Structure formats: C-alpha cells, structure tokens
Amino acid sequence: MAVGRSAALKVDWAKISTSLGLKGQTATSLQAFKKRNDDARRKLQLLSEQAQEVDFRHYRSVLQNQSVVDEIETHFKSFKPATYDVGRQIKAIEAFEGQAVRNAEVTKGKVDEELRDLEKTLRNIETARPFEDLT
C-alpha cells in the first residue's frame, strides 16, 4: 500500500494534461479523477490525525453506571473492521481507463487527420506560384 501511495504522490497532473494535449471529455474526466484523489487523500490525512484511543477510565470516573462503560468497552475491544471487496471499484477504474484510452485514440485520430490537412495546405503554399507571377 505504501508503494502505491508514494507513486500516487509523484503524479504530475498538470504535466499529464499539457504533455498529452488532453481536451474535452478526457481532460474533464482526468480533472474529476484528480479531485476525487485529492479529496480521498485529504480525508485519509484527517482521519489518521484523529485520536484512536478511548479513555474508558475517564468515563468510569464520570459516569455512575459502570456496567454501561464495561459493556461499551467490551464491544469496543471486540470490534473488527469490516473488509470490503474492492473488485467493483477496480472494475470501475478499469472501465474509466478503457474509456479514457478510447477517447485518447479518437483524439489522436482527429489530431493526425488535422496534421495531414495542415501538411497538405503547407505543401500547396510552398508549391504555389509566387505572388508576382500571378499579377
């Protein structure tokens, strides 16, 4: 998990957008993903900074009903965090990745077509008769 976390911190989001020349839905999707990533990282940071210990001695000294504190402490000590199947999230990420790849391929096709048109236009300009010959 630490390796994934350190790799995620090294992602240069601005460089990805500019170097790939992302536009439209692809850029919007990437920005939304970055926002979700930042929000999750902030929430994780806040939760990890919170105190994780419960001082049951304090509650025993404050409350008269000791059995309630004993029962809560028993439940607290026997608590086991639930485990989740992250398969659904992974499938969603893979679907997002697939859509991003398809969008990138469409964008690449459009850019290649535009480049061919521009090269054709440039060849026409270079091979055109000089302006002086036209008059």
Side-chain angles (χ1 to χ4, degrees):
M1 184 68 164
V3 173
R5 194 174 306 142
S6 68
L9 291 173
K10 294 178 183 177
V11 173
D12 186 356
W13 297 98
K15 186 176 180 182
I16 289 173
S17 295
T18 56
S19 67
L20 297 177
L22 300 179
K23 301 269 191 254
Q25 184 179 359
T26 305
T28 304
S29 295
L30 183 66
Q31 288 172 344
F33 180 80
K34 178 190 178 304
K35 183 182 181 310
R36 287 193 309 271
N37 180 290
D38 290 343
D39 291 345
R41 187 174 294 133
R42 260 190 243 91
K43 187 172 183 178
L44 177 65
Q45 181 66 30
L46 287 173
L47 290 174
S48 65
E49 290 173 357
Q50 290 180 357
Q52 298 175 2
E53 299 278 329
V54 177
D55 186 8
F56 289 103
R57 288 179 294 154
H58 168 72
Y59 290 107
R60 281 191 182 92
S61 67
V62 174
L63 298 174
Q64 291 179 356
N65 191 346
Q66 301 292 311
S67 64
V68 170
V69 177
D70 292 338
E71 184 179 340
I72 292 172
E73 184 175 17
T74 304
H75 287 295
F76 180 78
K77 288 182 178 177
S78 66
F79 173 76
K80 300 286 184 229
T83 57
Y84 292 99
D85 179 19
V86 295
R88 193 174 72 190
Q89 286 84 1
I90 290 173
K91 286 180 184 177
I93 290 169
E94 288 171 349
F96 172 79
E97 180 182 9
Q99 183 63 39
V101 168
R102 285 191 292 280
N103 288 344
E105 289 170 351
V106 168
T107 302
K108 181 187 180 300
K110 289 179 182 178
V111 167
D112 289 344
E113 184 179 330
E114 184 68 25
L115 283 173
R116 284 191 296 276
D117 288 346
L118 289 172
E119 287 172 355
K120 183 178 175 184
T121 303
L122 182 61
R123 278 194 303 276
N124 286 341
I125 291 171
E126 289 172 344
T127 59
R129 290 187 290 170
F131 182 73
E132 297 82 29
D133 293 348
L134 295 175
T135 55

PDB file of all heavy atoms in Angstrom, residues 103-120:
ATOM      1  N   ASN A 103     -11.113   7.446 -25.799  1.00  0.00           N
ATOM      2  CA  ASN A 103     -11.165   8.884 -26.080  1.00  0.00           C
ATOM      3  C   ASN A 103      -9.816   9.385 -26.595  1.00  0.00           C
ATOM      4  O   ASN A 103      -9.772  10.224 -27.502  1.00  0.00           O
ATOM      5  CB  ASN A 103     -11.565   9.666 -24.828  1.00  0.00           C
ATOM      6  CG  ASN A 103     -13.020   9.483 -24.479  1.00  0.00           C
ATOM      7  OD1 ASN A 103     -13.817   9.024 -25.287  1.00  0.00           O
ATOM      8  ND2 ASN A 103     -13.383   9.823 -23.258  1.00  0.00           N
ATOM      9  N   ALA A 104      -8.732   8.869 -26.023  1.00  0.00           N
ATOM     10  CA  ALA A 104      -7.399   9.282 -26.476  1.00  0.00           C
ATOM     11  C   ALA A 104      -7.159   8.830 -27.913  1.00  0.00           C
ATOM     12  O   ALA A 104      -6.568   9.568 -28.715  1.00  0.00           O
ATOM     13  CB  ALA A 104      -6.336   8.712 -25.543  1.00  0.00           C
ATOM     14  N   GLU A 105      -7.621   7.627 -28.253  1.00  0.00           N
ATOM     15  CA  GLU A 105      -7.448   7.146 -29.622  1.00  0.00           C
ATOM     16  C   GLU A 105      -8.251   7.987 -30.609  1.00  0.00           C
ATOM     17  O   GLU A 105      -7.773   8.310 -31.695  1.00  0.00           O
ATOM     18  CB  GLU A 105      -7.842   5.670 -29.714  1.00  0.00           C
ATOM     19  CG  GLU A 105      -6.859   4.752 -29.018  1.00  0.00           C
ATOM     20  CD  GLU A 105      -7.347   3.324 -28.890  1.00  0.00           C
ATOM     21  OE1 GLU A 105      -8.540   3.056 -29.199  1.00  0.00           O
ATOM     22  OE2 GLU A 105      -6.542   2.477 -28.461  1.00  0.00           O
ATOM     23  N   VAL A 106      -9.470   8.356 -30.223  1.00  0.00           N
ATOM     24  CA  VAL A 106     -10.292   9.218 -31.079  1.00  0.00           C
ATOM     25  C   VAL A 106      -9.608  10.568 -31.258  1.00  0.00           C
ATOM     26  O   VAL A 106      -9.514  11.096 -32.372  1.00  0.00           O
ATOM     27  CB  VAL A 106     -11.713   9.385 -30.481  1.00  0.00           C
ATOM     28  CG1 VAL A 106     -12.482  10.489 -31.174  1.00  0.00           C
ATOM     29  CG2 VAL A 106     -12.468   8.072 -30.556  1.00  0.00           C
ATOM     30  N   THR A 107      -9.103  11.119 -30.152  1.00  0.00           N
ATOM     31  CA  THR A 107      -8.405  12.405 -30.210  1.00  0.00           C
ATOM     32  C   THR A 107      -7.168  12.299 -31.087  1.00  0.00           C
ATOM     33  O   THR A 107      -6.900  13.188 -31.904  1.00  0.00           O
ATOM     34  CB  THR A 107      -8.018  12.873 -28.794  1.00  0.00           C
ATOM     35  OG1 THR A 107      -9.202  12.969 -28.003  1.00  0.00           O
ATOM     36  CG2 THR A 107      -7.317  14.210 -28.817  1.00  0.00           C
ATOM     37  N   LYS A 108      -6.424  11.224 -30.930  1.00  0.00           N
ATOM     38  CA  LYS A 108      -5.223  11.018 -31.756  1.00  0.00           C
ATOM     39  C   LYS A 108      -5.590  10.962 -33.231  1.00  0.00           C
ATOM     40  O   LYS A 108      -4.923  11.563 -34.075  1.00  0.00           O
ATOM     41  CB  LYS A 108      -4.511   9.738 -31.340  1.00  0.00           C
ATOM     42  CG  LYS A 108      -3.245   9.469 -32.134  1.00  0.00           C
ATOM     43  CD  LYS A 108      -2.675   8.106 -31.791  1.00  0.00           C
ATOM     44  CE  LYS A 108      -1.413   7.790 -32.567  1.00  0.00           C
ATOM     45  NZ  LYS A 108      -1.565   7.770 -34.001  1.00  0.00           N
ATOM     46  N   GLY A 109      -6.673  10.261 -33.550  1.00  0.00           N
ATOM     47  CA  GLY A 109      -7.120  10.184 -34.940  1.00  0.00           C
ATOM     48  C   GLY A 109      -7.461  11.553 -35.502  1.00  0.00           C
ATOM     49  O   GLY A 109      -7.091  11.887 -36.631  1.00  0.00           O
ATOM     50  N   LYS A 110      -8.174  12.346 -34.707  1.00  0.00           N
ATOM     51  CA  LYS A 110      -8.535  13.696 -35.150  1.00  0.00           C
ATOM     52  C   LYS A 110      -7.300  14.566 -35.329  1.00  0.00           C
ATOM     53  O   LYS A 110      -7.188  15.330 -36.295  1.00  0.00           O
ATOM     54  CB  LYS A 110      -9.491  14.340 -34.146  1.00  0.00           C
ATOM     55  CG  LYS A 110     -10.873  13.733 -34.159  1.00  0.00           C
ATOM     56  CD  LYS A 110     -11.767  14.378 -33.128  1.00  0.00           C
ATOM     57  CE  LYS A 110     -13.142  13.727 -33.104  1.00  0.00           C
ATOM     58  NZ  LYS A 110     -14.003  14.315 -32.070  1.00  0.00           N
ATOM     59  N   VAL A 111      -6.350  14.447 -34.405  1.00  0.00           N
ATOM     60  CA  VAL A 111      -5.119  15.235 -34.494  1.00  0.00           C
ATOM     61  C   VAL A 111      -4.313  14.808 -35.718  1.00  0.00           C
ATOM     62  O   VAL A 111      -3.792  15.653 -36.462  1.00  0.00           O
ATOM     63  CB  VAL A 111      -4.285  15.102 -33.194  1.00  0.00           C
ATOM     64  CG1 VAL A 111      -2.885  15.650 -33.372  1.00  0.00           C
ATOM     65  CG2 VAL A 111      -4.983  15.801 -32.049  1.00  0.00           C
ATOM     66  N   ASP A 112      -4.217  13.493 -35.951  1.00  0.00           N
ATOM     67  CA  ASP A 112      -3.490  13.006 -37.133  1.00  0.00           C
ATOM     68  C   ASP A 112      -4.129  13.505 -38.416  1.00  0.00           C
ATOM     69  O   ASP A 112      -3.434  13.912 -39.356  1.00  0.00           O
ATOM     70  CB  ASP A 112      -3.438  11.473 -37.130  1.00  0.00           C
ATOM     71  CG  ASP A 112      -2.518  10.912 -36.063  1.00  0.00           C
ATOM     72  OD1 ASP A 112      -1.682  11.683 -35.527  1.00  0.00           O
ATOM     73  OD2 ASP A 112      -2.632   9.701 -35.765  1.00  0.00           O
ATOM     74  N   GLU A 113      -5.453  13.478 -38.467  1.00  0.00           N
ATOM     75  CA  GLU A 113      -6.162  13.975 -39.652  1.00  0.00           C
ATOM     76  C   GLU A 113      -5.905  15.469 -39.851  1.00  0.00           C
ATOM     77  O   GLU A 113      -5.651  15.923 -40.967  1.00  0.00           O
ATOM     78  CB  GLU A 113      -7.657  13.713 -39.494  1.00  0.00           C
ATOM     79  CG  GLU A 113      -8.477  14.095 -40.694  1.00  0.00           C
ATOM     80  CD  GLU A 113      -9.954  13.786 -40.507  1.00  0.00           C
ATOM     81  OE1 GLU A 113     -10.270  12.831 -39.786  1.00  0.00           O
ATOM     82  OE2 GLU A 113     -10.766  14.515 -41.092  1.00  0.00           O
ATOM     83  N   GLU A 114      -5.953  16.220 -38.770  1.00  0.00           N
ATOM     84  CA  GLU A 114      -5.688  17.667 -38.848  1.00  0.00           C
ATOM     85  C   GLU A 114      -4.256  17.926 -39.308  1.00  0.00           C
ATOM     86  O   GLU A 114      -4.007  18.825 -40.115  1.00  0.00           O
ATOM     87  CB  GLU A 114      -5.952  18.306 -37.492  1.00  0.00           C
ATOM     88  CG  GLU A 114      -5.804  19.815 -37.472  1.00  0.00           C
ATOM     89  CD  GLU A 114      -6.874  20.530 -38.269  1.00  0.00           C
ATOM     90  OE1 GLU A 114      -7.963  19.991 -38.450  1.00  0.00           O
ATOM     91  OE2 GLU A 114      -6.586  21.662 -38.732  1.00  0.00           O
ATOM     92  N   LEU A 115      -3.304  17.134 -38.800  1.00  0.00           N
ATOM     93  CA  LEU A 115      -1.913  17.288 -39.231  1.00  0.00           C
ATOM     94  C   LEU A 115      -1.764  17.001 -40.720  1.00  0.00           C
ATOM     95  O   LEU A 115      -1.027  17.704 -41.420  1.00  0.00           O
ATOM     96  CB  LEU A 115      -0.996  16.376 -38.414  1.00  0.00           C
ATOM     97  CG  LEU A 115      -0.668  16.840 -37.007  1.00  0.00           C
ATOM     98  CD1 LEU A 115       0.114  15.765 -36.255  1.00  0.00           C
ATOM     99  CD2 LEU A 115       0.115  18.133 -37.040  1.00  0.00           C
ATOM    100  N   ARG A 116      -2.437  15.959 -41.205  1.00  0.00           N
ATOM    101  CA  ARG A 116      -2.374  15.660 -42.645  1.00  0.00           C
ATOM    102  C   ARG A 116      -2.933  16.823 -43.456  1.00  0.00           C
ATOM    103  O   ARG A 116      -2.357  17.222 -44.474  1.00  0.00           O
ATOM    104  CB  ARG A 116      -3.139  14.373 -42.949  1.00  0.00           C
ATOM    105  CG  ARG A 116      -2.396  13.112 -42.560  1.00  0.00           C
ATOM    106  CD  ARG A 116      -3.060  11.862 -43.119  1.00  0.00           C
ATOM    107  NE  ARG A 116      -4.393  11.618 -42.592  1.00  0.00           N
ATOM    108  CZ  ARG A 116      -4.655  10.992 -41.452  1.00  0.00           C
ATOM    109  NH1 ARG A 116      -3.668  10.509 -40.727  1.00  0.00           N
ATOM    110  NH2 ARG A 116      -5.898  10.824 -41.047  1.00  0.00           N
ATOM    111  N   ASP A 117      -4.046  17.385 -43.001  1.00  0.00           N
ATOM    112  CA  ASP A 117      -4.625  18.536 -43.706  1.00  0.00           C
ATOM    113  C   ASP A 117      -3.676  19.734 -43.689  1.00  0.00           C
ATOM    114  O   ASP A 117      -3.519  20.422 -44.700  1.00  0.00           O
ATOM    115  CB  ASP A 117      -5.961  18.927 -43.075  1.00  0.00           C
ATOM    116  CG  ASP A 117      -7.065  17.927 -43.368  1.00  0.00           C
ATOM    117  OD1 ASP A 117      -6.875  17.070 -44.267  1.00  0.00           O
ATOM    118  OD2 ASP A 117      -8.123  17.991 -42.686  1.00  0.00           O
ATOM    119  N   LEU A 118      -3.054  19.963 -42.539  1.00  0.00           N
ATOM    120  CA  LEU A 118      -2.121  21.092 -42.441  1.00  0.00           C
ATOM    121  C   LEU A 118      -0.882  20.876 -43.312  1.00  0.00           C
ATOM    122  O   LEU A 118      -0.389  21.816 -43.948  1.00  0.00           O
ATOM    123  CB  LEU A 118      -1.721  21.314 -40.981  1.00  0.00           C
ATOM    124  CG  LEU A 118      -2.814  21.884 -40.078  1.00  0.00           C
ATOM    125  CD1 LEU A 118      -2.356  21.879 -38.625  1.00  0.00           C
ATOM    126  CD2 LEU A 118      -3.198  23.285 -40.516  1.00  0.00           C
ATOM    127  N   GLU A 119      -0.392  19.633 -43.362  1.00  0.00           N
ATOM    128  CA  GLU A 119       0.759  19.345 -44.222  1.00  0.00           C
ATOM    129  C   GLU A 119       0.391  19.537 -45.689  1.00  0.00           C
ATOM    130  O   GLU A 119       1.185  20.066 -46.468  1.00  0.00           O
ATOM    131  CB  GLU A 119       1.265  17.919 -43.972  1.00  0.00           C
ATOM    132  CG  GLU A 119       1.984  17.761 -42.648  1.00  0.00           C
ATOM    133  CD  GLU A 119       2.312  16.308 -42.321  1.00  0.00           C
ATOM    134  OE1 GLU A 119       1.902  15.398 -43.077  1.00  0.00           O
ATOM    135  OE2 GLU A 119       2.988  16.095 -41.298  1.00  0.00           O
ATOM    136  N   LYS A 120      -0.796  19.129 -46.068  1.00  0.00           N
ATOM    137  CA  LYS A 120      -1.267  19.311 -47.438  1.00  0.00           C
ATOM    138  C   LYS A 120      -1.366  20.805 -47.772  1.00  0.00           C
ATOM    139  O   LYS A 120      -0.919  21.251 -48.836  1.00  0.00           O
ATOM    140  CB  LYS A 120      -2.629  18.643 -47.607  1.00  0.00           C
ATOM    141  CG  LYS A 120      -3.190  18.697 -48.996  1.00  0.00           C
ATOM    142  CD  LYS A 120      -4.520  17.964 -49.056  1.00  0.00           C
ATOM    143  CE  LYS A 120      -5.167  18.106 -50.422  1.00  0.00           C
ATOM    144  NZ  LYS A 120      -6.486  17.472 -50.459  1.00  0.00           N
TER     145      LYS A 120
END
